[in-house]
Amino acid sequence: MNLLAQIDKENTPNHIAIIMDGNGRWAKKQGQMRLYGHSIGVESVRETLTAAKNIGVKHLTLYAFSTENWNRPKEEIDGLMNLLVHTIANEVDELNRSGVRLLSIGDRAGLPIECQEELASAIEQTSNNTEIDLILALNYSARWEITNAMKQIGQQIQEGKLQPNDISDEIIAQHLTTDGIPDPELLIRTSGECRVSNFLLWQIAYTEFHFTEVLWPDFKEADLYKAVIDYQSRERRFGMVSEQL
Ligand code: FPP
Protein backbone atom coordinates (compact mmCIF):
# COMPACT_ATOMS: atom_id res chain seq x y z
CA MET A 1 0.00 0.00 0.00
CA ASN A 2 1.06 3.55 -0.65
CA LEU A 3 3.03 4.63 2.44
CA LEU A 4 2.22 8.30 2.03
CA ALA A 5 -1.51 7.51 2.17
CA GLN A 6 -0.99 5.76 5.51
CA ILE A 7 0.35 8.91 7.17
CA ASP A 8 -2.07 10.89 9.30
CA LYS A 9 -1.34 14.47 8.20
CA GLU A 10 -2.89 15.81 11.42
CA ASN A 11 -0.37 13.93 13.55
CA THR A 12 2.89 14.44 11.69
CA PRO A 13 5.88 15.09 13.97
CA ASN A 14 6.74 18.77 13.97
CA HIS A 15 10.42 18.00 14.52
CA ILE A 16 12.34 14.89 13.43
CA ALA A 17 15.96 14.35 14.47
CA ILE A 18 18.15 11.79 12.71
CA ILE A 19 21.42 10.07 13.64
CA MET A 20 22.68 9.27 10.14
CA ASP A 21 24.76 6.14 10.65
CA GLY A 22 26.29 3.42 8.51
CA ASN A 23 28.03 5.36 5.73
CA GLY A 24 31.34 3.59 6.40
CA ARG A 25 29.80 0.10 6.42
CA TRP A 26 27.81 0.89 3.28
CA ALA A 27 31.01 1.98 1.48
CA LYS A 28 32.90 -1.11 2.65
CA LYS A 29 30.17 -3.35 1.26
CA GLN A 30 30.65 -1.66 -2.12
CA GLY A 31 34.44 -2.08 -1.87
CA GLN A 32 34.81 1.71 -1.66
CA MET A 33 36.49 4.21 0.68
CA ARG A 34 34.48 5.51 3.65
CA LEU A 35 34.27 8.98 2.10
CA TYR A 36 32.34 7.58 -0.83
CA GLY A 37 29.70 6.46 1.68
CA HIS A 38 29.50 9.99 3.10
CA SER A 39 29.12 11.51 -0.36
CA ILE A 40 26.29 9.12 -1.27
CA GLY A 41 24.84 9.95 2.18
CA VAL A 42 24.31 13.50 0.91
CA GLU A 43 21.76 12.08 -1.58
CA SER A 44 19.87 10.61 1.36
CA VAL A 45 19.94 14.01 3.08
CA ARG A 46 18.34 15.59 -0.01
CA GLU A 47 15.71 12.89 -0.32
CA THR A 48 14.87 12.91 3.41
CA LEU A 49 14.54 16.69 3.47
CA THR A 50 12.12 16.64 0.53
CA ALA A 51 10.09 13.80 2.07
CA ALA A 52 9.95 15.57 5.47
CA LYS A 53 8.78 18.77 3.81
CA ASN A 54 6.14 16.83 1.83
CA ILE A 55 4.45 15.58 4.97
CA GLY A 56 4.58 18.91 6.80
CA VAL A 57 7.55 18.40 9.15
CA LYS A 58 8.75 21.87 10.17
CA HIS A 59 12.19 21.04 11.67
CA LEU A 60 14.64 18.35 10.56
CA THR A 61 17.82 17.98 12.64
CA LEU A 62 20.66 15.87 11.25
CA TYR A 63 23.68 14.70 13.25
CA ALA A 64 26.32 15.47 10.62
CA PHE A 65 29.49 15.73 12.76
CA SER A 66 29.85 14.98 16.45
CA THR A 67 32.53 16.32 18.76
CA GLU A 68 33.73 12.70 19.04
CA ASN A 69 34.16 12.50 15.23
CA TRP A 70 37.38 14.54 15.60
CA ASN A 71 38.96 11.24 16.73
CA ARG A 72 38.59 9.77 13.22
CA PRO A 73 41.57 9.60 10.81
CA LYS A 74 42.59 13.06 9.58
CA GLU A 75 41.91 12.11 5.97
CA GLU A 76 38.28 11.26 6.77
CA ILE A 77 37.77 14.44 8.84
CA ASP A 78 39.24 16.62 6.06
CA GLY A 79 37.09 14.82 3.48
CA LEU A 80 33.91 15.27 5.55
CA MET A 81 34.59 18.98 6.12
CA ASN A 82 35.26 19.41 2.41
CA LEU A 83 32.03 17.61 1.58
CA LEU A 84 30.09 19.81 3.99
CA VAL A 85 31.57 23.06 2.63
CA HIS A 86 30.90 22.06 -0.99
CA THR A 87 27.45 20.64 -0.34
CA ILE A 88 26.33 23.73 1.56
CA ALA A 89 27.69 26.03 -1.16
CA ASN A 90 26.12 23.99 -3.99
CA GLU A 91 22.74 23.61 -2.33
CA VAL A 92 21.96 27.20 -1.23
CA ASP A 93 19.95 28.04 -4.38
CA GLU A 94 17.93 24.82 -4.10
CA LEU A 95 17.32 25.47 -0.39
CA ASN A 96 15.97 28.90 -1.29
CA ARG A 97 13.80 27.51 -4.11
CA SER A 98 12.28 24.99 -1.69
CA GLY A 99 11.81 27.39 1.22
CA VAL A 100 14.35 25.69 3.49
CA ARG A 101 15.92 27.70 6.30
CA LEU A 102 19.36 26.37 7.24
CA LEU A 103 20.41 26.46 10.89
CA SER A 104 23.18 24.78 12.85
CA ILE A 105 23.61 23.57 16.40
CA GLY A 106 26.88 22.75 18.14
CA ASP A 107 30.18 24.53 18.66
CA ARG A 108 30.48 26.37 15.37
CA ALA A 109 33.62 28.23 16.51
CA GLY A 110 35.49 24.90 16.63
CA LEU A 111 34.90 24.15 12.93
CA PRO A 112 37.52 24.95 10.24
CA ILE A 113 37.24 28.60 9.24
CA GLU A 114 36.05 27.92 5.66
CA CYS A 115 33.30 25.71 7.03
CA GLN A 116 32.26 28.43 9.51
CA GLU A 117 32.18 31.01 6.71
CA GLU A 118 30.22 28.86 4.24
CA LEU A 119 27.75 27.92 6.95
CA ALA A 120 27.29 31.51 8.14
CA SER A 121 26.73 32.66 4.56
CA ALA A 122 24.15 29.91 3.80
CA ILE A 123 22.36 30.54 7.11
CA GLU A 124 22.14 34.24 6.28
CA GLN A 125 21.00 33.64 2.66
CA THR A 126 18.23 31.24 3.72
CA SER A 127 17.13 33.09 6.86
CA ASN A 128 13.77 34.26 5.48
CA ASN A 129 12.56 30.81 4.36
CA THR A 130 9.60 29.35 6.22
CA GLU A 131 8.72 25.90 4.78
CA ILE A 132 11.07 23.81 6.92
CA ASP A 133 14.21 24.25 9.06
CA LEU A 134 17.18 22.05 8.17
CA ILE A 135 19.26 22.02 11.35
CA LEU A 136 22.75 20.59 10.98
CA ALA A 137 24.38 19.35 14.18
CA LEU A 138 28.03 20.16 13.53
CA ASN A 139 30.80 19.76 16.09
CA TYR A 140 27.90 18.89 18.34
CA SER A 141 27.82 16.99 21.61
CA ALA A 142 24.91 17.19 24.04
CA ARG A 143 27.20 17.09 27.08
CA TRP A 144 29.23 19.98 25.64
CA GLU A 145 25.99 21.88 25.02
CA ILE A 146 24.67 21.29 28.56
CA THR A 147 28.04 22.14 30.14
CA ASN A 148 28.17 25.32 28.10
CA ALA A 149 24.66 26.25 29.23
CA MET A 150 25.67 25.68 32.88
CA LYS A 151 28.69 27.97 32.45
CA GLN A 152 26.49 30.74 31.03
CA ILE A 153 23.92 30.37 33.79
CA GLY A 154 26.69 30.32 36.45
CA GLN A 155 28.08 33.52 34.98
CA GLN A 156 24.67 35.21 35.20
CA ILE A 157 24.33 34.17 38.84
CA GLN A 158 27.81 35.49 39.61
CA GLU A 159 26.86 38.82 38.01
CA GLY A 160 23.67 38.95 40.11
CA LYS A 161 21.41 38.80 37.01
CA LEU A 162 19.84 35.48 38.05
CA GLN A 163 19.06 33.75 41.36
CA PRO A 164 19.70 29.97 41.72
CA ASN A 165 15.99 29.52 42.45
CA ASP A 166 15.11 31.10 39.11
CA ILE A 167 16.73 28.19 37.21
CA SER A 168 13.98 26.25 35.43
CA ASP A 169 13.58 23.90 32.44
CA GLU A 170 12.89 26.99 30.31
CA ILE A 171 16.01 28.87 31.49
CA ILE A 172 18.20 25.84 30.77
CA ALA A 173 16.61 25.33 27.32
CA GLN A 174 17.24 28.99 26.49
CA HIS A 175 20.99 28.45 26.95
CA LEU A 176 21.21 25.41 24.67
CA THR A 177 22.17 25.81 21.00
CA THR A 178 18.63 24.59 20.16
CA ASP A 179 17.09 27.69 21.79
CA GLY A 180 13.86 28.52 19.93
CA ILE A 181 13.58 25.07 18.28
CA PRO A 182 10.86 22.79 19.73
CA ASP A 183 11.95 19.39 21.07
CA PRO A 184 11.83 16.52 18.54
CA GLU A 185 8.85 14.18 18.72
CA LEU A 186 10.75 11.52 16.76
CA LEU A 187 14.40 10.44 16.73
CA ILE A 188 15.55 8.07 13.99
CA ARG A 189 18.86 6.18 13.98
CA THR A 190 19.93 4.16 10.97
CA SER A 191 22.28 1.17 10.60
CA GLY A 192 20.92 -1.03 13.39
CA GLU A 193 22.76 0.74 16.23
CA CYS A 194 20.50 1.44 19.22
CA ARG A 195 22.37 4.23 20.98
CA VAL A 196 21.87 7.96 21.44
CA SER A 197 25.60 8.84 21.18
CA ASN A 198 25.55 12.18 22.99
CA PHE A 199 22.83 13.65 20.74
CA LEU A 200 20.19 16.10 22.06
CA LEU A 201 20.19 14.56 25.56
CA TRP A 202 18.13 17.37 27.12
CA GLN A 203 15.73 17.70 24.19
CA ILE A 204 14.75 14.00 23.84
CA ALA A 205 13.11 13.68 27.27
CA TYR A 206 9.77 12.65 25.68
CA THR A 207 10.91 11.75 22.16
CA GLU A 208 9.88 8.48 20.47
CA PHE A 209 12.79 6.44 19.03
CA HIS A 210 12.77 4.59 15.72
CA PHE A 211 15.74 2.34 14.97
CA THR A 212 16.16 0.89 11.49
CA GLU A 213 18.69 -1.56 10.01
CA VAL A 214 18.87 0.54 6.82
CA LEU A 215 22.33 2.10 6.31
CA TRP A 216 22.18 5.88 5.82
CA PRO A 217 23.13 5.92 2.08
CA ASP A 218 20.20 3.54 1.46
CA PHE A 219 17.74 5.64 3.52
CA LYS A 220 15.10 6.98 1.14
CA GLU A 221 11.73 8.74 1.13
CA ALA A 222 9.90 5.47 1.93
CA ASP A 223 12.12 4.88 4.99
CA LEU A 224 11.16 8.26 6.43
CA TYR A 225 7.48 7.53 5.85
CA LYS A 226 7.85 4.12 7.56
CA ALA A 227 9.42 5.80 10.59
CA VAL A 228 6.57 8.32 10.78
CA ILE A 229 3.95 5.54 10.47
CA ASP A 230 5.72 3.68 13.31
CA TYR A 231 5.69 6.91 15.37
CA GLN A 232 1.99 7.39 14.71
CA SER A 233 1.26 3.88 16.02
CA ARG A 234 2.63 4.82 19.46
CA GLU A 235 0.65 6.25 22.32
CA ARG A 236 2.55 9.19 23.84
CA ARG A 237 1.56 9.46 27.48
CA PHE A 238 4.07 11.98 28.91
CA GLY A 239 3.93 10.20 32.29
CA MET A 240 0.11 10.02 32.38
CA VAL A 241 -2.18 6.99 32.01
CA SER A 242 -4.08 6.22 28.77
CA GLU A 243 -7.45 7.34 30.15
CA GLN A 244 -6.11 10.83 30.84
CA LEU A 245 -5.16 11.48 27.22
C1 FPP B 1 27.95 8.15 10.15
O1 FPP B 1 28.37 7.03 9.42
C2 FPP B 1 27.96 9.36 9.35
C3 FPP B 1 28.68 10.48 9.63
C4 FPP B 1 29.54 10.61 10.81
C5 FPP B 1 28.68 11.64 8.74
C6 FPP B 1 27.36 11.97 8.12
C7 FPP B 1 27.55 13.02 7.12
C8 FPP B 1 26.94 13.06 5.90
C9 FPP B 1 25.97 12.07 5.41
C10 FPP B 1 27.20 14.20 5.04
C11 FPP B 1 26.24 15.23 5.50
C12 FPP B 1 26.16 16.36 4.63
C13 FPP B 1 25.27 17.34 4.87
C14 FPP B 1 25.25 18.49 3.95
C15 FPP B 1 24.36 17.29 6.01
P1 FPP B 1 29.67 6.29 9.88
O2 FPP B 1 30.85 6.86 9.16
O3 FPP B 1 29.80 6.34 11.36
O4 FPP B 1 29.39 4.82 9.39
P2 FPP B 1 29.87 3.46 10.06
O5 FPP B 1 29.24 3.41 11.42
O6 FPP B 1 29.33 2.45 9.12
O7 FPP B 1 31.36 3.49 10.10
PDB file of all heavy atoms in Angstrom, residues 131-157:
ATOM      1  N   GLU A 131       9.352  27.212   4.986  1.00  0.00           N
ATOM      2  CA  GLU A 131       8.716  25.899   4.783  1.00  0.00           C
ATOM      3  C   GLU A 131       9.173  24.877   5.819  1.00  0.00           C
ATOM      4  O   GLU A 131       8.392  24.147   6.393  1.00  0.00           O
ATOM      5  CB  GLU A 131       9.035  25.361   3.380  1.00  0.00           C
ATOM      6  CG  GLU A 131       8.259  26.033   2.275  1.00  0.00           C
ATOM      7  CD  GLU A 131       6.772  25.749   2.378  1.00  0.00           C
ATOM      8  OE1 GLU A 131       6.419  24.582   2.534  1.00  0.00           O
ATOM      9  OE2 GLU A 131       5.979  26.699   2.320  1.00  0.00           O
ATOM     10  N   ILE A 132      10.496  24.808   5.997  1.00  0.00           N
ATOM     11  CA  ILE A 132      11.070  23.811   6.917  1.00  0.00           C
ATOM     12  C   ILE A 132      12.461  24.295   7.348  1.00  0.00           C
ATOM     13  O   ILE A 132      13.159  24.957   6.576  1.00  0.00           O
ATOM     14  CB  ILE A 132      11.148  22.412   6.239  1.00  0.00           C
ATOM     15  CG1 ILE A 132      11.638  21.337   7.228  1.00  0.00           C
ATOM     16  CG2 ILE A 132      12.000  22.416   4.994  1.00  0.00           C
ATOM     17  CD1 ILE A 132      11.489  19.888   6.710  1.00  0.00           C
ATOM     18  N   ASP A 133      12.840  23.976   8.594  1.00  0.00           N
ATOM     19  CA  ASP A 133      14.210  24.248   9.065  1.00  0.00           C
ATOM     20  C   ASP A 133      15.045  22.993   8.879  1.00  0.00           C
ATOM     21  O   ASP A 133      14.653  21.914   9.347  1.00  0.00           O
ATOM     22  CB  ASP A 133      14.218  24.572  10.571  1.00  0.00           C
ATOM     23  CG  ASP A 133      13.677  25.957  10.875  1.00  0.00           C
ATOM     24  OD1 ASP A 133      13.619  26.798   9.951  1.00  0.00           O
ATOM     25  OD2 ASP A 133      13.329  26.195  12.047  1.00  0.00           O
ATOM     26  N   LEU A 134      16.191  23.134   8.217  1.00  0.00           N
ATOM     27  CA  LEU A 134      17.177  22.051   8.173  1.00  0.00           C
ATOM     28  C   LEU A 134      18.269  22.438   9.171  1.00  0.00           C
ATOM     29  O   LEU A 134      18.975  23.432   8.976  1.00  0.00           O
ATOM     30  CB  LEU A 134      17.770  21.906   6.760  1.00  0.00           C
ATOM     31  CG  LEU A 134      18.937  20.923   6.652  1.00  0.00           C
ATOM     32  CD1 LEU A 134      18.508  19.499   7.021  1.00  0.00           C
ATOM     33  CD2 LEU A 134      19.546  20.933   5.250  1.00  0.00           C
ATOM     34  N   ILE A 135      18.342  21.669  10.253  1.00  0.00           N
ATOM     35  CA  ILE A 135      19.257  22.018  11.347  1.00  0.00           C
ATOM     36  C   ILE A 135      20.411  21.025  11.352  1.00  0.00           C
ATOM     37  O   ILE A 135      20.212  19.834  11.613  1.00  0.00           O
ATOM     38  CB  ILE A 135      18.498  21.981  12.697  1.00  0.00           C
ATOM     39  CG1 ILE A 135      17.272  22.897  12.638  1.00  0.00           C
ATOM     40  CG2 ILE A 135      19.429  22.355  13.846  1.00  0.00           C
ATOM     41  CD1 ILE A 135      16.141  22.493  13.581  1.00  0.00           C
ATOM     42  N   LEU A 136      21.604  21.495  11.016  1.00  0.00           N
ATOM     43  CA  LEU A 136      22.755  20.593  10.981  1.00  0.00           C
ATOM     44  C   LEU A 136      23.465  20.621  12.320  1.00  0.00           C
ATOM     45  O   LEU A 136      23.873  21.697  12.789  1.00  0.00           O
ATOM     46  CB  LEU A 136      23.729  21.013   9.870  1.00  0.00           C
ATOM     47  CG  LEU A 136      23.195  20.967   8.440  1.00  0.00           C
ATOM     48  CD1 LEU A 136      24.303  21.346   7.453  1.00  0.00           C
ATOM     49  CD2 LEU A 136      22.630  19.582   8.102  1.00  0.00           C
ATOM     50  N   ALA A 137      23.600  19.454  12.943  1.00  0.00           N
ATOM     51  CA  ALA A 137      24.383  19.352  14.177  1.00  0.00           C
ATOM     52  C   ALA A 137      25.832  19.150  13.753  1.00  0.00           C
ATOM     53  O   ALA A 137      26.195  18.115  13.191  1.00  0.00           O
ATOM     54  CB  ALA A 137      23.887  18.188  15.022  1.00  0.00           C
ATOM     55  N   LEU A 138      26.643  20.172  13.986  1.00  0.00           N
ATOM     56  CA  LEU A 138      28.031  20.156  13.527  1.00  0.00           C
ATOM     57  C   LEU A 138      28.939  20.464  14.702  1.00  0.00           C
ATOM     58  O   LEU A 138      28.726  21.467  15.397  1.00  0.00           O
ATOM     59  CB  LEU A 138      28.227  21.231  12.442  1.00  0.00           C
ATOM     60  CG  LEU A 138      27.552  20.950  11.099  1.00  0.00           C
ATOM     61  CD1 LEU A 138      27.583  22.197  10.219  1.00  0.00           C
ATOM     62  CD2 LEU A 138      28.239  19.783  10.398  1.00  0.00           C
ATOM     63  N   ASN A 139      29.959  19.649  14.900  1.00  0.00           N
ATOM     64  CA  ASN A 139      30.803  19.757  16.091  1.00  0.00           C
ATOM     65  C   ASN A 139      29.884  19.817  17.313  1.00  0.00           C
ATOM     66  O   ASN A 139      30.016  20.667  18.172  1.00  0.00           O
ATOM     67  CB  ASN A 139      31.703  20.995  16.002  1.00  0.00           C
ATOM     68  CG  ASN A 139      32.829  20.954  17.004  1.00  0.00           C
ATOM     69  OD1 ASN A 139      33.192  19.894  17.510  1.00  0.00           O
ATOM     70  ND2 ASN A 139      33.374  22.112  17.325  1.00  0.00           N
ATOM     71  N   TYR A 140      28.928  18.900  17.312  1.00  0.00           N
ATOM     72  CA  TYR A 140      27.897  18.889  18.340  1.00  0.00           C
ATOM     73  C   TYR A 140      28.115  17.734  19.311  1.00  0.00           C
ATOM     74  O   TYR A 140      28.462  16.609  18.910  1.00  0.00           O
ATOM     75  CB  TYR A 140      26.501  18.726  17.705  1.00  0.00           C
ATOM     76  CG  TYR A 140      25.409  18.681  18.760  1.00  0.00           C
ATOM     77  CD1 TYR A 140      24.835  19.859  19.232  1.00  0.00           C
ATOM     78  CD2 TYR A 140      25.000  17.469  19.312  1.00  0.00           C
ATOM     79  CE1 TYR A 140      23.871  19.818  20.235  1.00  0.00           C
ATOM     80  CE2 TYR A 140      24.038  17.424  20.310  1.00  0.00           C
ATOM     81  CZ  TYR A 140      23.479  18.613  20.766  1.00  0.00           C
ATOM     82  OH  TYR A 140      22.538  18.568  21.773  1.00  0.00           O
ATOM     83  N   SER A 141      27.899  18.029  20.580  1.00  0.00           N
ATOM     84  CA  SER A 141      27.818  16.992  21.610  1.00  0.00           C
ATOM     85  C   SER A 141      26.866  17.538  22.660  1.00  0.00           C
ATOM     86  O   SER A 141      26.964  18.704  23.059  1.00  0.00           O
ATOM     87  CB  SER A 141      29.216  16.720  22.182  1.00  0.00           C
ATOM     88  OG  SER A 141      29.217  16.769  23.583  1.00  0.00           O
ATOM     89  N   ALA A 142      25.912  16.712  23.081  1.00  0.00           N
ATOM     90  CA  ALA A 142      24.907  17.188  24.042  1.00  0.00           C
ATOM     91  C   ALA A 142      25.551  17.550  25.375  1.00  0.00           C
ATOM     92  O   ALA A 142      25.159  18.517  26.015  1.00  0.00           O
ATOM     93  CB  ALA A 142      23.834  16.124  24.230  1.00  0.00           C
ATOM     94  N   ARG A 143      26.554  16.766  25.792  1.00  0.00           N
ATOM     95  CA  ARG A 143      27.196  17.092  27.077  1.00  0.00           C
ATOM     96  C   ARG A 143      27.944  18.418  26.987  1.00  0.00           C
ATOM     97  O   ARG A 143      27.962  19.197  27.930  1.00  0.00           O
ATOM     98  CB  ARG A 143      28.127  15.958  27.504  1.00  0.00           C
ATOM     99  CG  ARG A 143      27.341  14.762  27.994  1.00  0.00           C
ATOM    100  CD  ARG A 143      28.272  13.761  28.603  1.00  0.00           C
ATOM    101  NE  ARG A 143      27.515  12.660  29.194  1.00  0.00           N
ATOM    102  CZ  ARG A 143      28.063  11.604  29.766  1.00  0.00           C
ATOM    103  NH1 ARG A 143      29.392  11.504  29.808  1.00  0.00           N
ATOM    104  NH2 ARG A 143      27.322  10.674  30.287  1.00  0.00           N
ATOM    105  N   TRP A 144      28.581  18.673  25.837  1.00  0.00           N
ATOM    106  CA  TRP A 144      29.227  19.982  25.644  1.00  0.00           C
ATOM    107  C   TRP A 144      28.166  21.088  25.749  1.00  0.00           C
ATOM    108  O   TRP A 144      28.359  22.112  26.404  1.00  0.00           O
ATOM    109  CB  TRP A 144      29.912  20.048  24.262  1.00  0.00           C
ATOM    110  CG  TRP A 144      30.246  21.469  23.899  1.00  0.00           C
ATOM    111  CD1 TRP A 144      31.341  22.183  24.313  1.00  0.00           C
ATOM    112  CD2 TRP A 144      29.428  22.381  23.129  1.00  0.00           C
ATOM    113  NE1 TRP A 144      31.252  23.484  23.845  1.00  0.00           N
ATOM    114  CE2 TRP A 144      30.093  23.638  23.119  1.00  0.00           C
ATOM    115  CE3 TRP A 144      28.205  22.271  22.461  1.00  0.00           C
ATOM    116  CZ2 TRP A 144      29.587  24.755  22.468  1.00  0.00           C
ATOM    117  CZ3 TRP A 144      27.703  23.380  21.811  1.00  0.00           C
ATOM    118  CH2 TRP A 144      28.383  24.600  21.809  1.00  0.00           C
ATOM    119  N   GLU A 145      27.039  20.861  25.075  1.00  0.00           N
ATOM    120  CA  GLU A 145      25.987  21.877  25.018  1.00  0.00           C
ATOM    121  C   GLU A 145      25.429  22.175  26.423  1.00  0.00           C
ATOM    122  O   GLU A 145      25.229  23.346  26.789  1.00  0.00           O
ATOM    123  CB  GLU A 145      24.873  21.356  24.109  1.00  0.00           C
ATOM    124  CG  GLU A 145      23.713  22.320  23.927  1.00  0.00           C
ATOM    125  CD  GLU A 145      22.629  21.724  23.033  1.00  0.00           C
ATOM    126  OE1 GLU A 145      22.196  20.592  23.296  1.00  0.00           O
ATOM    127  OE2 GLU A 145      22.212  22.406  22.093  1.00  0.00           O
ATOM    128  N   ILE A 146      25.223  21.103  27.206  1.00  0.00           N
ATOM    129  CA  ILE A 146      24.672  21.293  28.556  1.00  0.00           C
ATOM    130  C   ILE A 146      25.719  21.958  29.459  1.00  0.00           C
ATOM    131  O   ILE A 146      25.411  22.878  30.232  1.00  0.00           O
ATOM    132  CB  ILE A 146      24.170  19.940  29.128  1.00  0.00           C
ATOM    133  CG1 ILE A 146      22.948  19.454  28.320  1.00  0.00           C
ATOM    134  CG2 ILE A 146      23.805  20.069  30.602  1.00  0.00           C
ATOM    135  CD1 ILE A 146      22.516  18.010  28.599  1.00  0.00           C
ATOM    136  N   THR A 147      26.968  21.536  29.338  1.00  0.00           N
ATOM    137  CA  THR A 147      28.040  22.138  30.140  1.00  0.00           C
ATOM    138  C   THR A 147      28.147  23.628  29.824  1.00  0.00           C
ATOM    139  O   THR A 147      28.270  24.481  30.713  1.00  0.00           O
ATOM    140  CB  THR A 147      29.392  21.432  29.834  1.00  0.00           C
ATOM    141  OG1 THR A 147      29.220  20.048  30.048  1.00  0.00           O
ATOM    142  CG2 THR A 147      30.513  21.961  30.708  1.00  0.00           C
ATOM    143  N   ASN A 148      28.089  23.931  28.552  1.00  0.00           N
ATOM    144  CA  ASN A 148      28.170  25.315  28.096  1.00  0.00           C
ATOM    145  C   ASN A 148      27.022  26.153  28.675  1.00  0.00           C
ATOM    146  O   ASN A 148      27.219  27.287  29.128  1.00  0.00           O
ATOM    147  CB  ASN A 148      28.114  25.293  26.564  1.00  0.00           C
ATOM    148  CG  ASN A 148      28.644  26.545  25.958  1.00  0.00           C
ATOM    149  OD1 ASN A 148      29.674  27.039  26.374  1.00  0.00           O
ATOM    150  ND2 ASN A 148      27.921  27.079  24.985  1.00  0.00           N
ATOM    151  N   ALA A 149      25.835  25.559  28.678  1.00  0.00           N
ATOM    152  CA  ALA A 149      24.660  26.254  29.235  1.00  0.00           C
ATOM    153  C   ALA A 149      24.884  26.515  30.730  1.00  0.00           C
ATOM    154  O   ALA A 149      24.581  27.612  31.233  1.00  0.00           O
ATOM    155  CB  ALA A 149      23.402  25.415  29.016  1.00  0.00           C
ATOM    156  N   MET A 150      25.435  25.519  31.433  1.00  0.00           N
ATOM    157  CA  MET A 150      25.675  25.682  32.880  1.00  0.00           C
ATOM    158  C   MET A 150      26.672  26.810  33.137  1.00  0.00           C
ATOM    159  O   MET A 150      26.526  27.589  34.074  1.00  0.00           O
ATOM    160  CB  MET A 150      26.218  24.372  33.496  1.00  0.00           C
ATOM    161  CG  MET A 150      25.245  23.213  33.481  1.00  0.00           C
ATOM    162  SD  MET A 150      23.645  23.653  34.180  1.00  0.00           S
ATOM    163  CE  MET A 150      22.547  23.151  32.899  1.00  0.00           C
ATOM    164  N   LYS A 151      27.699  26.891  32.290  1.00  0.00           N
ATOM    165  CA  LYS A 151      28.692  27.974  32.453  1.00  0.00           C
ATOM    166  C   LYS A 151      28.021  29.341  32.292  1.00  0.00           C
ATOM    167  O   LYS A 151      28.269  30.263  33.060  1.00  0.00           O
ATOM    168  CB  LYS A 151      29.810  27.836  31.409  1.00  0.00           C
ATOM    169  CG  LYS A 151      30.781  26.714  31.704  1.00  0.00           C
ATOM    170  CD  LYS A 151      31.878  26.699  30.639  1.00  0.00           C
ATOM    171  CE  LYS A 151      32.698  25.432  30.775  1.00  0.00           C
ATOM    172  NZ  LYS A 151      33.539  25.181  29.597  1.00  0.00           N
ATOM    173  N   GLN A 152      27.160  29.449  31.277  1.00  0.00           N
ATOM    174  CA  GLN A 152      26.493  30.740  31.032  1.00  0.00           C
ATOM    175  C   GLN A 152      25.563  31.106  32.187  1.00  0.00           C
ATOM    176  O   GLN A 152      25.517  32.267  32.620  1.00  0.00           O
ATOM    177  CB  GLN A 152      25.671  30.673  29.738  1.00  0.00           C
ATOM    178  CG  GLN A 152      26.518  30.592  28.482  1.00  0.00           C
ATOM    179  CD  GLN A 152      25.648  30.371  27.247  1.00  0.00           C
ATOM    180  OE1 GLN A 152      24.475  30.700  27.231  1.00  0.00           O
ATOM    181  NE2 GLN A 152      26.227  29.815  26.207  1.00  0.00           N
ATOM    182  N   ILE A 153      24.851  30.107  32.689  1.00  0.00           N
ATOM    183  CA  ILE A 153      23.921  30.367  33.788  1.00  0.00           C
ATOM    184  C   ILE A 153      24.717  30.743  35.049  1.00  0.00           C
ATOM    185  O   ILE A 153      24.370  31.697  35.763  1.00  0.00           O
ATOM    186  CB  ILE A 153      23.000  29.137  34.023  1.00  0.00           C
ATOM    187  CG1 ILE A 153      22.034  29.001  32.828  1.00  0.00           C
ATOM    188  CG2 ILE A 153      22.233  29.253  35.329  1.00  0.00           C
ATOM    189  CD1 ILE A 153      21.217  27.706  32.805  1.00  0.00           C
ATOM    190  N   GLY A 154      25.822  30.021  35.297  1.00  0.00           N
ATOM    191  CA  GLY A 154      26.687  30.324  36.453  1.00  0.00           C
ATOM    192  C   GLY A 154      27.207  31.750  36.391  1.00  0.00           C
ATOM    193  O   GLY A 154      27.233  32.478  37.399  1.00  0.00           O
ATOM    194  N   GLN A 155      27.583  32.156  35.192  1.00  0.00           N
ATOM    195  CA  GLN A 155      28.084  33.524  34.980  1.00  0.00           C
ATOM    196  C   GLN A 155      27.007  34.556  35.342  1.00  0.00           C
ATOM    197  O   GLN A 155      27.278  35.559  35.992  1.00  0.00           O
ATOM    198  CB  GLN A 155      28.490  33.657  33.501  1.00  0.00           C
ATOM    199  CG  GLN A 155      29.102  34.978  33.112  1.00  0.00           C
ATOM    200  CD  GLN A 155      30.526  35.106  33.625  1.00  0.00           C
ATOM    201  OE1 GLN A 155      31.242  34.108  33.699  1.00  0.00           O
ATOM    202  NE2 GLN A 155      30.916  36.306  34.028  1.00  0.00           N
ATOM    203  N   GLN A 156      25.771  34.275  34.914  1.00  0.00           N
ATOM    204  CA  GLN A 156      24.674  35.211  35.203  1.00  0.00           C
ATOM    205  C   GLN A 156      24.389  35.286  36.699  1.00  0.00           C
ATOM    206  O   GLN A 156      24.056  36.358  37.209  1.00  0.00           O
ATOM    207  CB  GLN A 156      23.409  34.794  34.454  1.00  0.00           C
ATOM    208  CG  GLN A 156      23.548  35.007  32.959  1.00  0.00           C
ATOM    209  CD  GLN A 156      22.263  34.717  32.214  1.00  0.00           C
ATOM    210  OE1 GLN A 156      21.231  34.440  32.798  1.00  0.00           O
ATOM    211  NE2 GLN A 156      22.331  34.785  30.903  1.00  0.00           N
ATOM    212  N   ILE A 157      24.547  34.171  37.383  1.00  0.00           N
ATOM    213  CA  ILE A 157      24.330  34.169  38.837  1.00  0.00           C
ATOM    214  C   ILE A 157      25.440  34.995  39.499  1.00  0.00           C
ATOM    215  O   ILE A 157      25.179  35.842  40.357  1.00  0.00           O
ATOM    216  CB  ILE A 157      24.284  32.719  39.384  1.00  0.00           C
ATOM    217  CG1 ILE A 157      23.008  32.032  38.884  1.00  0.00           C
ATOM    218  CG2 ILE A 157      24.355  32.701  40.912  1.00  0.00           C
ATOM    219  CD1 ILE A 157      22.869  30.572  39.248  1.00  0.00           C
TER     220      ILE A 157
END
